Amino acid sequence: FASDDFNGLQNVGSGSKGRDAATGKIGRFGLGFSAVYNITDVPMLLSGPHFAFLDPNVTNSTEGGQKFAVGKIKDHFRDQLIPFELPEFGCAPLSSDH
């Protein structure tokens, strides 16, 4: 995800993709990622060297969520990365050098 993508996910309902059809992004017309809020209020995601949690209701953060470099958090918040440790799918944030 690019920084604009993270910002768009933090602002539920803002619909940033519909403004620029040339981006090649999918999900213009449906609920898209917003559907995940039926399962959790604070989704977490891992994209490349970044780990993010989203908190659009600002119940656990003051900014609607935060994005971190994996390398900076894996020593202090290792337990938050364990669900993403799926080396059979090429995802191993705890053993990589991000």
Side-chain angles (χ1 to χ4, degrees), residues 6-63:
F6 280 111
N7 293 338
L9 290 174
Q10 280 182 293
N11 300 310
V12 177
S14 65
S16 61
K17 286 185 279 188
R19 286 182 237 130
D20 185 6
T23 63
K25 308 272 169 123
I26 61 172
R28 267 184 21 190
F29 301 108
L31 291 174
F33 188 82
S34 296
V36 80
Y37 293 106
N38 288 313
I39 299 168
T40 182
D41 291 332
V42 184
M44 297 182 295
L45 39 105
L46 184 70
S47 178
H50 295 103
F51 169 79
F53 74 90
L54 305 173
D55 184 19
N57 296 318
V58 193
T59 54
N60 299 291
S61 71
T62 58
E63 300 175 13

